[in-house]
Amino acid sequence: MLCTRLTNARILTMDPARPVARDLGIWRGRIVGLDEAVTSLPAREVVDLQGAAVLPGFIDSHVHLAWAGLRASTPSIAPCERIEDILAVVDAAARREAPPGAWLDLAGYDQRALGRHLTAAELDRVSHGRKILLMHDSGHACVVNTAVLDLLPADVPHREGFLAESAMTAARRLRLPYSQEELADAIEHAARACLDEGITACAEAGIGGGLLGHSPVELGAYQLLRDRGRLPLRVQLMAAGDTLRPRGAHPDDGFTSALDLGLRTGFGDDWLSLGALKIYTDGGMMARTAALTSPYEGTSDSGQFQDDPERIADLIVAGHLAGWQLAVHAIGDRAADLALDALERAQGLRPRPDARHRIEHAGLVRPDQLPRFAELGLSAVVQPNFLRSFGDDYATIMGERRAGWMYRGRGFLDHDVPLVGSSDRPVTDGSPLRAIQFMVERASASGRLIGADEAVDVGEALRAYTVAGAHACRWEDSAGSLTPGKRADLVVLGDDPLRVDPARIGDIEVVSTYVDGSDATAPARR
């Protein structure tokens, strides 16, 4: 007997062997058959979907769940666009009762509307003895007051309280780590928001260190949720690159560095596992720290690397030698050059044809770099909603010649580079459907076309959030398509993305999200 049979649906399987079905049978969290294989079988539950569309659950291959959840409960200065308004919010928050020595974190900082960065001196006027940290929306910078600057080593660079990249990391490390209970609550909150958007699995992009780590024992927060039955979707964890340490392993192992006990990509189960090693090369476009080969339009600034380029390259090689899949953050084209060169060197030292290394963001990729992605077998893990939300600004700072190179679609596919969709939640909108609409239309929220030649068709965009996401996370045997034997993780939609006007895709209703064969969104709606 089946556990559940979904019937009277338009099921888009994403499996070329059987693209469309009407009925789908589920037993113990797995898909056991389609249409005639299950239509006559008895089932404990039969769900008539009344013609709704069913797709594989969306896979968001690059998120920050802990950050997203913590941000939701952090005081925010958004949408303030005047310095005096921001300072008024900080003043009110700093006056609230707090334990002695407690930091005051605020979210929502973005200098672009202000025309310049806030300064430590301005924050000092409203600090009331508190240590203040305003986190930039990009996650690549912050502004702090003098009380924080006084605690930093003298060699940490800043511009009147503005700290970017590794300098920001130095400031964040001054504070005590979040507790596992705090992190668990934040992760669960963000994960449930993902479910509401049809996401059934995601890859957490860097824990335990790097720019956005929240605790040296951060993995424990996810395991806490798993142990308590509160992890609502499947999560693959990327360890931050700086969690690797020199290890005295046997020479035949070929390691120069490793995680404790030699843990690496693949450890875990269907719900919680270790994925790629996350390595940062540069910053981001929003904070103007992405490393470019030519300066941002109208400036002499070309962004920056996170560290000495040779040290970054050595870390990439060390991660490869230790057996990890690598997820290399590279937004600017100069950063992509560094990543490509280092990955080529790593593969030359120890060839691993199915390493499935990934370039996270691939925000600005020159035409001459596309063949190198293909030659190295890399996936491009892009965030289409970046251009939907920020495309007007990004196109302006890149200039007309480079605007079409941003967050490519067609260019990667034409070079047989797997195109993988993701959100980088909470940097911007996490909706896969709105991202899919952008991939097809290449229109920002204002209607501006950005890199129109990079548009893909709806099927290709859906593949980026299903089949390609599963391949990038090494889940292709169990996820990404609605194929018998795979996990019964799926999303029910109010309309078929392949049949509606592309301009309507982003507004399609997510009716329900099934994880492990059960409607994971039902409890929240009762």
Side-chain angles (χ1 to χ4, degrees):
M1 176 179 285
L2 299 173
C3 297
T4 305
R5 184 172 71 249
L6 305 181
T7 188
N8 191 22
R10 177 169 165 78
I11 300 169
L12 308 179
T13 68
M14 302 306 293
D15 180 355
R18 185 165 195 162
V20 182
R22 183 178 184 275
D23 286 12
L24 182 147
I26 300 170
W27 184 69
R28 293 189 176 181
R30 295 274 172 170
I31 299 167
V32 295
L34 300 166
D35 288 348
E36 67 279 357
V38 297
T39 300
S40 61
L41 295 179
R44 294 192 185 96
E45 179 186 34
V46 177
V47 181
D48 185 345
L49 291 177
Q50 301 179 350
V54 176
L55 282 91
F58 296 129
I59 296 171
D60 191 334
S61 298
H62 185 119
V63 301
H64 300 282
L65 294 179
W67 179 22
L70 290 168
R71 179 178 172 177
S73 60
T74 299
S76 177
I77 59 175
C80 297
E81 294 186 351
R82 300 189 310 161
I83 288 172
E84 54 266 38
D85 294 337
I86 292 175
L87 295 179
V89 173
V90 177
D91 180 68
R95 289 176 183 273
R96 295 176 193 144
E97 188 173 347
W103 286 55
L104 174 59
D105 287 337
L106 295 105
Y109 177 64
D110 185 343
Q111 86 288 354
R112 291 175 298 176
L114 304 177
R116 67 171 177 85
H117 285 290
L118 282 168
T119 67
E122 288 167 331
L123 289 178
D124 289 344
R125 299 203 306 264
V126 293
S127 294
H128 301 286
R130 303 285 298 276
K131 300 178 185 70
I132 311 288
L133 189 149
L134 272 59
M135 185 73 165
H136 197 279
D137 277 345
S138 67
H140 285 270
C142 65
V143 176
V144 300
N145 63 348
T146 301
V148 176
L149 292 178
D150 288 344
L151 299 175
L152 288 169
D155 60 348
V156 173
H158 71 89
R159 299 199 302 271
E160 298 184 281
F162 173 70
L163 302 162
E165 310 304 342
S166 57
M168 179 197 73
T169 302
R172 293 184 73 239
R173 286 178 176 170
L174 291 172
R175 13 175 342 169
L176 290 172
Y178 290 90
S179 73
Q180 289 195 357
E181 291 285 354
E182 287 177 289
L183 292 174
D185 289 344
I187 293 160
E188 183 180 17
H189 176 88
R192 295 201 176 280
C194 290
L195 284 178
D196 289 341
E197 293 175 339
I199 297 164
T200 57
C202 63
E204 171 71 44
I207 64 167
L211 283 179
L212 296 171
H214 295 91
S215 166
V217 291
E218 195 165 354
L219 188 151
Y222 292 85
Q223 193 165 352
L224 195 66
L225 285 176
R226 178 81 171 95
D227 292 345
R228 294 175 179 176
R230 290 171 47 201
L231 190 64
L233 45 66
R234 304 181 196 277
V235 180
Q236 187 179 86
L237 302 171
M238 299 185 201
D242 56 3
T243 60
L244 254 61
R245 298 285 184 269
R247 299 294 174 199
H250 192 283
D252 289 350
D253 293 337
F255 292 7
T256 56
S257 298
L259 210 61
D260 285 347
L261 303 178
L263 292 177
R264 58 176 175 82
T265 303
F267 185 81
D269 61 20
D270 277 355
W271 283 92
L272 185 64
S273 61
L274 274 179
L277 185 72
K278 172 73 178 295
I279 298 175
Y280 287 93
T281 62
D282 67 343
M285 289 187 187
M286 192 191 308
R288 311 305 197 237
T289 52
L292 311 178
T293 51
S294 299
Y296 292 93
E297 283 291 299
T299 78
S300 58
D301 185 7
S302 299
Q304 66 187 78
F305 289 122
Q306 292 280 346
D307 195 356
D308 176 78
E310 288 189 14
R311 282 198 291 269
I312 295 172
D314 288 346
L315 180 58
I316 289 171
V317 172
H320 174 88
L321 294 178
W324 285 87
Q325 179 188 19
L326 301 179
V328 183
H329 167 116
I331 292 185
D333 59 332
R334 183 160 55 109
D337 280 334
L338 188 158
L340 293 167
D341 289 346
L343 289 167
E344 183 176 26
R345 175 157 66 97
Q347 288 283 18
L349 290 170
R350 176 174 287 186
R352 288 171 51 205
D354 195 34
R356 298 198 202 178
H357 296 324
R358 311 158 32 145
I359 300 295
E360 307 299 297
H361 309 297
L364 186 73
V365 175
R366 301 187 309 271
D368 64 287
Q369 292 173 320
L370 290 169
R372 297 195 67 196
F373 273 73
E375 290 162 7
L376 290 166
L378 305 177
S379 293
V381 183
V382 300
Q383 296 75 40
N385 275 334
F386 276 16
L387 292 188
R388 182 179 175 274
S389 299
F390 313 131
D392 294 356
D393 173 55
Y394 286 11
T396 299
I397 62 171
M398 288 299 116
E400 184 177 351
R401 182 176 67 93
R402 294 182 293 183
W405 302 348
M406 293 192 297
Y407 297 94
R408 291 175 178 270
R410 174 58 53 203
F412 286 125
L413 292 180
D414 284 352
H415 286 80
D416 294 324
V417 175
L419 177 65
V420 182
S422 69
S423 69
D424 206 14
R425 177 191 308 266
V427 176
T428 191
D429 186 351
S431 165
L433 286 169
R434 284 189 282 274
I436 287 164
Q437 178 177 325
F438 175 84
M439 294 173 81
V440 175
E441 295 185 322
R442 297 292 297 194
S444 72
S446 75
R448 179 175 179 175
L449 290 180
I450 303 170
D453 291 344
E454 291 296 324
V456 302
D457 66 38
V458 177
E460 291 166 329
L462 289 172
R463 184 179 176 86
Y465 280 89
T466 55
V467 177
H471 181 268
C473 295
R474 309 187 79 92
W475 284 329
E476 70 274 13
D477 291 337
S478 59
S481 66
L482 300 179
T483 304
K486 292 192 176 183
R487 302 189 299 235
D489 296 350
L490 52 92
V491 58
V492 181
L493 301 177
D495 277 305
D496 179 352
L498 292 173
R499 291 184 168 182
V500 303
D501 186 317
R504 291 182 50 214
I505 292 174
D507 294 324
I508 292 175
E509 178 190 5
V510 176
V511 177
S512 54
T513 305
Y514 282 67
V515 180
D516 220 30
S518 299
D519 185 351
T521 46
R525 291 172 177 160
R526 281 200 288 264

